[in-house]
Amino acid sequence: MASVLLMSFPLKANPVEGKPTQEAHSQESGHHGGAVDSKEEVSEYIAHHVKDSHDFTLFADGEKGTHTGFHLPVILWDKQSGLKMFSSCLFDYENNVATVGGDSYRLHHGKIYKTDKAGNLTYDAKHGEHPTNQMPLDFSITKTVLGMLLTSLLLLLGFGSLARGYNANALPKGIGRFLEPLVIYVKEEIAIPNIGEKKYRKYMGYLLTVFFFVLLANLLGLTPLGLNITGNLAVTACLALITFLIVQFSGNKDYWKHIFWMPGVPVPLKILLAPIELFGIIVKPIALMLRLFANMTAGHIVVMALISIAFVAKQKLGTPMASGMSLFFTLFIMCLELLVAFLQAYIFTLLSALYIGTAVEEHDHH
């Protein structure tokens, strides 16, 4: 663990013979240095902001080509040579080839490929855009993973303080005063109405976890840290998958009967409705996944686009008017994003409770 933490400190990569140069990387990515003042460069900058990365950049100077931040540990499993652990500073923001233990790896558009020492990639002959080089299994601590760890740590500290207050039979203090009303709200307005008073306690742990995790992750995405945790499809897919598994393993006999052989319906319609109901089981978690991902990603893109207007207008028009309008609209969208952060946490938790409630509901058969 200590070695992994040490890898996160900023280190200067050793020069690698035959490495791709900064100019080559700039030409490949479509950015030629200087200010971000064209449509293509703005689009590339926004895409880089919302994507996951192997480094944590706080500030970047496009004209000087410098980055302020720190590198994150890279953890790979190579089929030929086994476990590889090193700092992402060896990649130097996709400009270098990392040679570790005699094997060479290159970071290309956020993905790691095994290459020769010169960093050459072979591309798909049909499309010409997708490298065909071997990809080792990537277990790296990326920016999104670091954000999830930070979110989990903050939740542990906050609810640890709330739990200690309850154990001492004292009123909540500090962050507990903010958390307790939300806990009661999830219980009274989400869990009990959708699952029922008899069975809601069994699922309160998960509902509280997913509500506060999504909420805090959304709020961290509004900070200058540039985290986009819930804007990562892998994160929302895992959350939706957990809800899906809980629903299916909690389903009682009535739940499965209403899917495969709906009571009170003619046999021909039962045969017709069964595939539709089965398809609905799969669609529900996909809708959960895409709703959260799309709303949070769209919010980040809109905010970044409005901020970019100020810089583009300054370069093209040389007037501060557009900058002032851009600032006004950015603040408006940020306030709207704050509302969306709470709303998406509420909707995800509400739908999860609703799906669980339909799975454990007892039906009357008289």
Side-chain angles (χ1 to χ4, degrees):
M1 178 61 71
S3 62
V4 172
L5 292 176
L6 287 173
M7 290 179 191
S8 65
F9 285 93
L11 301 173
K12 185 175 181 180
N14 296 324
V16 179
E17 185 178 356
K19 68 180 181 180
T21 62
Q22 175 70 35
E23 292 78 8
H25 171 67
S26 298
Q27 293 176 1
E28 184 178 351
S29 62
H31 181 62
H32 302 282
V36 179
D37 55 3
S38 67
K39 180 179 178 181
E40 293 75 15
E41 290 174 347
V42 168
S43 298
E44 180 189 345
Y45 186 81
I46 294 174
H48 175 76
H49 173 78
V50 299
K51 287 181 179 178
D52 198 6
S53 63
H54 288 269
D55 49 76
F56 202 105
T57 303
L58 298 173
F59 306 100
D61 191 329
E63 296 183 355
K64 297 181 180 179
T66 58
H67 299 80
T68 301
F70 53 90
H71 297 283
L72 297 170
V74 177
I75 307 171
L76 304 176
W77 179 262
D78 194 321
K79 293 181 180 179
Q80 282 75 32
S81 52
L83 184 65
K84 299 286 185 179
M85 297 176 62
F86 55 93
S87 172
S88 64
C89 68
L90 296 181
F91 291 126
D92 189 24
Y93 303 98
E94 299 195 10
N95 297 320
N96 284 356
V97 175
T99 300
V100 182
D103 296 312
S104 297
Y105 304 94
R106 180 179 171 186
L107 184 63
H108 178 70
H109 293 323
K111 297 180 180 179
I112 299 176
Y113 298 90
K114 191 171 184 178
T115 66
D116 54 20
K117 290 186 177 181
N120 295 316
L121 294 173
T122 56
Y123 293 90
D124 184 6
K126 184 177 181 180
H127 299 92
E129 298 178 356
H130 307 290
T132 58
N133 295 54
Q134 177 188 339
M135 294 179 63
L137 293 177
D138 192 353
F139 300 98
S140 304
I141 307 297
T142 61
K143 189 176 181 179
T144 299
V145 175
L146 183 64
M148 290 191 292
L149 294 175
L150 176 61
T151 302
S152 303
L153 177 61
L154 292 176
L155 290 178
L156 286 174
L157 293 176
F159 281 97
S161 174
L162 183 62
R164 286 192 295 271
Y166 280 133
N167 291 334
N169 293 323
L171 292 175
K173 298 180 180 179
I175 190 65
R177 293 184 177 181
F178 173 76
L179 294 176
E180 186 183 39
L182 291 176
V183 171
I184 296 175
Y185 179 82
V186 172
K187 172 189 172 183
E188 300 291 340
E189 302 296 332
I190 298 179
I192 294 178
N194 291 285
I195 301 177
E197 292 190 12
K198 295 181 179 180
K199 299 183 179 181
Y200 82 92
R201 289 182 179 273
K202 182 179 179 181
Y203 305 99
M204 272 297 293
Y206 173 68
L207 295 178
L208 288 173
T209 300
V210 73
F211 176 82
F212 284 100
F213 178 85
V214 173
L215 175 60
L216 186 55
N218 291 345
L219 294 177
L220 287 177
L222 301 178
T223 64
L225 295 176
L227 294 170
N228 188 28
I229 302 171
T230 48
N232 189 305
L233 195 59
V235 175
T236 59
C238 286
L239 293 174
L241 179 61
I242 295 172
T243 297
F244 172 78
L245 293 176
I246 291 176
V247 170
Q248 306 317 315
F249 284 103
S250 300
N252 55 27
K253 183 174 65 175
D254 288 332
Y255 170 73
W256 292 109
K257 187 175 181 180
H258 277 75
I259 290 175
F260 290 106
W261 205 249
M262 196 172 296
V265 176
V267 174
L269 284 179
K270 289 181 179 181
I271 298 173
L272 179 63
L273 291 176
I276 298 176
E277 291 291 334
L278 188 61
F279 180 71
I281 294 178
I282 302 173
V283 169
K284 288 177 182 177
I286 294 176
L288 272 180
M289 171 186 71
L290 294 179
R291 180 183 290 105
L292 179 58
F293 163 75
N295 279 279
M296 301 315 301
T297 302
H300 287 294
I301 292 176
V302 171
V303 169
M304 293 296 296
L306 290 172
I307 293 175
S308 301
I309 291 175
F311 297 95
V312 174
K314 182 179 179 182
Q315 292 290 331
K316 301 295 184 182
L317 304 177
T319 174
M321 180 181 296
S323 299
M325 292 295 293
S326 173
L327 178 61
F328 172 77
F329 284 115
T330 300
L331 290 176
F332 173 75
I333 294 297
M334 286 294 289
C335 293
L336 187 61
E337 275 284 277
L338 189 62
L339 173 63
V340 171
F342 282 88
L343 185 61
Q344 289 303 314
Y346 168 77
I347 291 175
F348 196 97
T349 310
L350 175 66
L351 291 177
S352 296
L354 181 62
Y355 297 156
I356 294 171
T358 58
V360 301
E361 182 183 4
E362 298 291 344
H363 296 270
D364 295 327
H365 298 286
H366 59 271

